[in-house]
Amino acid sequence: MLTRPITSDFNARRLPRKRSYQSLLTPEQMHIAVERESARADRAGGEFALVLMRVKRKDHNALSTVRLAKTVLGRVRATDDVGWYDENHLGVILPDTNATGAWRFADQICAMASRKLPRPLCSVYTYPTKWFVDNGDVTSPIGRDELKESNGNGNGNGNGHSNGNGNGNGNGHSTGGRYGVRNLIPYFLDGVQSGLETPPNAVHRLEMLLVRPLPLWKRTLDVLGAAVGLVIAAPVMAAAALAIKLTSKGPVVFRQNRAGLGGKPFTIYKFRTMVVDAEAKKVQLKAKNEQDGPAFKIKDDPRVTRVGKLLRKTSIDELPQLWNVLKGDMTLVGPRPLPVSESEACEGWQRRRLDVTPGLTCIWQVKGRSRVSFAEWVRMDVAYIRRRTLFNDLRILAQTIPAVLLRRGAR
């Protein structure tokens, strides 16, 4: 969803017959274009890429900057957008282009520009990309199924294949898709973060552009609240751990990969409330799923242990997530994180919930839980994201206590 209208002036720049240096989009127009392309990709199931080229001087009229911009303008398609992402970066938005095609385009520009200029430092961002876990570590999609043969797109971006080794020489040069590719998250209107300055060869492990980083007040509340919560809940957690250990086989703490900020997987901690082979049995129970959408929830789940039922009803099983909050993977208040497979199955507009750090509690936890549709659940998350304030967080935290004690919608 676009947060600002696209002006007629902006539309007039979309398909110019001949582009000049003066036709470059402003940072505001570039951000609107990114929002537009992310919304289009969500709606149509497409993809796009953003290529950013470092401009050493803040003076956009410097000879080297003008030459680089003119080189870019001479190579782009009519459907591409070119402009200033910020004062230090020239950006190119490439619709219907994957990571391999975007790097091929960037390499061509770098090769042409380096004939008269120092080779530019480029960074490529793609949307959407899937995160995955390899041997317990979150890694880049480069070199996996996410990078396939690129379709020709009219600007030399086609028929390339990445070897996915994440290597580079640190100066912005590569062939095909040798660099790691960062995940492009929509609505990154706060400007380029420090991670952008890292040379591409150092980014085999993905670095995100944090579109909506935690405000200082929110992180402070998280650290204080989680630390105090762990101290107060320590006796209850110890009793829960002992009960789990004495009544069922398996580990006390359950670990699972959940989709965090931007969809990046992280390990969530919960007290184990199910039998150890619960995930294997989930396939047999899919027909009984009572939650619409990609989420999976059933009443009287046969996989839940006797102690687990009590822990779930009282939400005690969620207490280990206070450690996730301290680590920064989660926040006290925010959209509940879904398992990676369920998150990837969400519709495009439902991925808006990934724009912020997931939370321990949220509006859905207080008012809905198992009683609302998945679409309504996401709408609650989006409503929260639009009103992420200290007062609202404190109000939700206060409402969570009676919701847990009265077991509203708990299963």
Side-chain angles (χ1 to χ4, degrees):
M1 180 180 295
L2 297 179
T3 56
R4 290 172 297 201
I6 300 179
T7 64
S8 57
D9 176 65
F10 177 73
N11 283 327
R13 296 173 181 264
R14 285 287 294 141
L15 296 172
R17 292 185 177 180
K18 184 177 181 181
R19 303 194 193 190
S20 65
Y21 183 71
Q22 288 71 30
S23 70
L24 294 176
L25 302 183
T26 65
E28 182 180 17
Q29 291 169 334
M30 282 291 288
H31 295 156
I32 292 175
V34 169
E35 293 181 17
R36 181 200 65 226
E37 290 301 327
S38 63
R40 180 179 295 165
D42 288 344
R43 182 173 62 251
E47 61 184 339
F48 74 100
L50 170 67
V51 178
L52 296 182
M53 302 178 184
R54 176 75 176 178
V55 178
K56 293 184 178 181
R57 299 183 182 181
K58 295 183 180 180
D59 181 9
H60 291 174
N61 292 318
L63 180 61
S64 60
T65 301
V66 174
R67 283 181 174 176
L68 175 61
K70 288 184 176 180
T71 299
V72 172
L73 290 169
R75 293 294 301 171
V76 295
R77 303 164 296 180
T79 54
D80 299 335
D81 288 301
V82 186
W84 301 109
Y85 183 79
D86 62 13
E87 63 180 7
N88 294 319
H89 296 90
L90 181 67
V92 184
I93 298 174
L94 304 171
D96 303 315
T97 304
N98 64 13
T100 304
W103 270 122
R104 186 171 295 276
F105 168 80
D107 284 338
Q108 290 180 350
I109 294 297
C110 289
M112 295 176 65
S114 61
R115 297 171 186 171
K116 296 182 179 180
L117 306 169
R119 195 175 188 93
L121 176 62
C122 298
S123 298
V124 167
Y125 299 79
T126 60
Y127 180 86
T129 57
K130 291 183 180 179
W131 297 80
F132 60 90
V133 176
D134 185 13
N135 296 326
D137 294 326
V138 180
T139 53
S140 156
I142 284 295
R144 301 302 196 272
D145 292 338
E146 297 310 308
L147 269 187
K148 300 181 180 179
E149 293 287 340
S150 171
N151 296 322
N153 59 13
N155 60 8
N157 297 351
N159 299 324
H161 189 75
S162 168
N163 62 19
N165 59 17
N167 295 326
N169 57 19
N171 63 2
H173 176 65
S174 174
T175 57
R178 293 174 58 192
Y179 298 121
V181 179
R182 298 182 178 92
N183 191 37
L184 174 61
I185 306 173
Y187 303 117
F188 57 103
L189 301 181
D190 295 330
V192 178
Q193 305 299 316
S194 59
L196 181 64
E197 309 307 326
T198 306
N201 65 312
V203 197
H204 184 56
R205 186 183 299 274
L206 285 174
E207 293 183 15
M208 295 188 305
L209 290 176
L210 300 182
V211 298
R212 300 195 182 189
L214 289 176
L216 179 59
W217 64 263
K218 192 168 180 61
R219 184 57 186 156
T220 301
L221 181 64
D222 288 344
V223 173
L224 293 177
V228 173
L230 284 171
V231 172
I232 295 176
V236 177
M237 294 175 68
L242 181 61
I244 295 171
K245 196 67 177 176
L246 294 176
T247 57
S248 63
K249 296 181 180 180
V252 169
V253 176
F254 172 72
R255 296 171 174 84
Q256 186 181 49
N257 291 317
R258 297 286 181 98
L261 181 64
K264 178 181 179 181
F266 72 96
T267 301
I268 196 173
Y269 304 103
K270 300 178 66 174
F271 281 126
R272 182 174 59 83
T273 60
M274 294 185 175
V275 294
V276 290
D277 59 344
E279 287 300 309
K281 292 182 177 181
K282 181 179 178 180
V283 178
Q284 306 170 9
L285 298 170
K286 279 191 174 181
K288 298 182 179 180
N289 185 18
E290 299 173 4
Q291 178 71 63
D292 66 327
F296 180 83
K297 294 182 183 296
I298 60 175
K299 189 176 182 179
D300 298 325
D301 194 324
R303 301 173 299 166
V304 179
T305 64
R306 288 180 299 172
V307 171
K309 290 181 180 180
L310 176 61
L311 297 180
R312 285 176 164 233
K313 285 288 186 181
T314 57
S315 295
I316 292 176
D317 63 317
E318 309 283 0
L319 290 178
Q321 290 167 45
L322 289 170
W323 177 244
N324 286 116
V325 175
L326 275 181
K327 289 175 60 181
D329 294 329
M330 295 177 61
T331 181
L332 289 178
V333 181
R336 288 293 296 163
L338 292 174
V340 173
S341 59
E342 294 180 8
S343 181
E344 290 180 350
C346 287
E347 297 178 15
W349 72 272
Q350 294 170 343
R351 287 198 293 265
R352 296 284 76 80
R353 66 195 311 276
L354 299 176
D355 289 355
V356 296
T357 305
L360 184 62
T361 186
C362 59
I363 300 177
W364 171 80
Q365 196 88 349
V366 171
K367 296 183 178 181
R369 301 191 78 170
S370 304
R371 300 176 298 180
V372 300
S373 67
F374 184 75
E376 186 60 28
W377 175 358
V378 176
R379 290 189 185 98
M380 290 180 179
D381 290 336
V382 173
Y384 165 75
I385 292 172
R386 292 172 177 168
R387 298 190 299 272
R388 195 170 62 155
T389 64
L390 176 59
F391 175 78
N392 198 29
D393 275 19
L394 293 175
R395 180 174 61 84
I396 293 175
L397 287 172
Q399 292 176 343
T400 299
I401 297 175
V404 169
L405 294 178
L406 295 176
R407 304 178 185 180
R408 294 174 186 165
R411 289 182 179 177

